[in-house]
Amino acid sequence: MTVRSILLYPDPILKQLCKPAKRDDPKIDSLIQDLIDTMLDAGHSVGVAAPQIGSLSRVVVVDVSSSKLGKKEENHGLLTMVNPEIINSHGKKTMREGCMSVPDYTGNVDRAEQIVVQFIDRSGKEQVIQAGGFEAVAIQHEIDHLDGLLFLDRVSSLKTDLFRRKG
Amino acid sequence: MQHFALTIIGRDRPGIVSQVTEALYRLGCNIADSSCSILGGQFAMILIIAHPEFKDKESFGDAFTALEESGLSVFLRTLKPGGEKHAKIEGEICMISVYGADKPGIVYRVTRELGERNVNITDLNTKLIGSDEHPVYVMMIEAILPDGIDPEEIEAAMNAIKTEMNVDISLRIITPVEL
């Protein structure tokens, strides 16, 4: 069990493209454990991506089941995703997102409302799940980290932008 | 470091921001928080700036004269120590939308109810839309409800204004999610 510290932007690791994890790599399981430990230690967190703790492997953990928003909706509990890929998405949901790696800032981000994700689970099995709502947003946010994207790259509007489009 | 609040406003045209920020850059000022927007036909800039040596307005000399000569109004306020830091306000973030046929007093009536309950407004935008015959007023407020103030209480107060002023008001809680 190792709680690792969360890297903060401008750490360059957060802007790098992560490499696919090898299924038989023994280091992956301990990385998964560190991600879970780090997520739990940061009591309020609903997900952590490998680059946030300094690893450039395509691994994320997500668990919205204990968050105020997540527990109201159907969810998968603790998800451990190796090489996750969104294979289908639809709908649009805007949430005010923040990120442990970018403290003290939040922004409105549009994401797909429903997604289908393919990944390898902790036991090495291929999985395909459908996720919606807050869980879908959390998964998309964490997968973005694997591509070197922060929510800052996706902010869709200033706090109250109703008037900005029309000019 | 001494901080200042700088407000600049003038007829909108391309290049205002670069003109202002070039002047600040040449002075050696840092820009901390800022917000700039088009309001009507005007472009308004509000900036919190700092300078390692400047202590008061006089330190800026005639640095803003060129801006003023180009038609911009410039106002500089020297902040008291700590005036650049915002207090951490705890509470739920609440969006309030108010809209209806334009009439005097909409902003005042809504914000009076909020002020009386110590609700802190963090952002407020209003715009007059609709046609000349049927002007519609739209106001968006982002506010922080202090602990001990229930969203229902604010909703009830807003409902009273709805009837009194014949406007539509809705309120929702925004929960920022840290991921």
Side-chain angles (χ1 to χ4, degrees):
Chain A
M1 138 128 206
T2 316
V3 172
R4 312 251 290 259
S5 50
I6 297 280
L7 301 186
L8 302 181
Y9 186 81
D11 194 307
I13 289 184
L14 293 167
K15 292 303 296 174
Q16 286 183 46
L17 186 65
C18 296
K19 292 193 183 68
K22 294 211 179 68
R23 205 187 285 228
D24 52 0
D25 183 347
K27 281 188 283 218
I28 293 303
D29 197 72
S30 67
L31 170 62
I32 289 170
Q33 191 56 50
D34 288 358
L35 286 167
I36 295 171
D37 294 339
T38 305
M39 176 174 69
L40 295 181
D41 185 68
H44 52 294
S45 161
V46 296
V48 181
Q52 288 183 286
I53 60 168
S55 163
L56 287 168
S57 294
R58 299 189 75 84
V59 182
V60 304
V61 296
V62 171
D63 184 359
V64 300
S65 64
S66 56
S67 74
K68 198 171 145 193
L69 274 177
K71 68 172 105 176
K72 285 190 240 160
E73 303 171 348
E74 216 174 293
N75 65 75
H76 293 84
L78 175 62
L79 285 167
T80 298
M81 305 177 138
V82 177
N83 301 337
E85 209 175 317
I86 295 169
I87 54 175
N88 202 354
S89 62
H90 69 269
K92 196 173 104 170
K93 185 176 173 68
T94 308
M95 288 193 90
R96 181 75 59 87
E97 293 189 21
C99 178
M100 289 191 289
S101 294
V102 188
D104 301 326
Y105 197 81
T106 61
N108 295 333
V109 180
D110 293 338
R111 306 234 185 228
E113 229 260 302
Q114 294 284 333
I115 54 170
V116 178
V117 203
Q118 184 172 41
F119 59 95
I120 300 165
D121 70 12
R122 193 173 185 173
S123 64
K125 275 206 274 302
E126 279 282 345
Q127 297 265 6
V128 177
I129 61 155
Q130 185 167 358
F134 180 40
E135 186 176 50
V137 169
I139 292 169
Q140 291 169 84
H141 177 109
E142 301 310 336
I143 292 178
D144 265 355
H145 277 298
L146 306 181
D147 296 321
L149 291 170
L150 299 172
F151 79 97
L152 298 176
D153 297 303
R154 298 227 189 250
V155 169
S156 63
S157 61
L158 298 171
K159 268 197 245 170
T160 45
D161 81 325
L162 182 78
F163 313 132
R164 313 224 182 237
R165 269 154 229 202
K166 232 181 96 192
Chain B
M1 220 189 293
Q2 177 62 52
H3 283 71
F4 304 86
L6 178 67
T7 310
I8 291 178
I9 186 158
R11 176 82 203 166
D12 186 47
R13 58 175 161 82
I16 294 177
V17 177
S18 71
Q19 193 189 348
V20 170
T21 53
E22 182 186 3
L24 294 173
Y25 173 69
R26 292 195 185 282
L27 283 170
C29 285
N30 298 313
I31 300 172
D33 290 7
S34 68
S35 178
C36 308
S37 203
I38 290 182
L39 301 171
Q42 305 291 305
F43 191 73
M45 303 180 64
I46 311 167
L47 311 98
I48 301 296
I49 60 172
H51 193 283
E53 284 128 37
F54 290 3
K55 293 282 167 258
D56 49 30
K57 267 188 206 181
E58 284 64 44
S59 316
F60 288 82
D62 59 359
F64 299 131
T65 308
L67 297 179
E68 284 170 330
E69 279 166 1
S70 76
L72 299 170
S73 302
V74 180
F75 174 76
L76 185 75
R77 174 188 166 96
T78 307
L79 300 189
K80 297 213 170 80
E84 74 280 8
K85 292 196 189 79
H86 70 85
K88 188 137 182 108
I89 315 164
E90 298 287 347
E92 285 199 284
I93 302 176
C94 167
M95 282 292 307
I96 304 171
S97 314
V98 183
Y99 52 99
D102 187 29
K103 61 181 75 64
I106 297 177
V107 178
Y108 167 58
R109 281 298 290 118
V110 170
T111 57
R112 190 179 84 191
E113 298 299 329
L114 301 177
E116 279 171 356
R117 290 169 177 80
N118 267 323
V119 174
N120 208 311
I121 296 173
T122 52
D123 213 333
L124 184 151
N125 282 296
T126 68
K127 194 167 176 82
L128 194 55
I129 60 169
S131 60
D132 287 344
E133 303 85 70
H134 300 289
V136 172
Y137 202 72
V138 182
M139 172 164 69
M140 293 286 150
I141 297 177
E142 188 172 302
I144 300 181
L145 302 187
D147 290 339
I149 295 276
D150 229 298
E152 280 85 55
E153 184 186 337
I154 303 296
E155 204 146 30
M158 294 300 123
N159 282 338
I161 300 174
K162 263 192 199 175
T163 320
E164 179 193 321
M165 302 211 68
N166 192 27
V167 290
D168 287 293
I169 306 183
S170 66
L171 179 149
R172 60 226 163 271
I173 297 294
I174 304 271
T175 311
V177 291
E178 189 167 56
L179 296 160

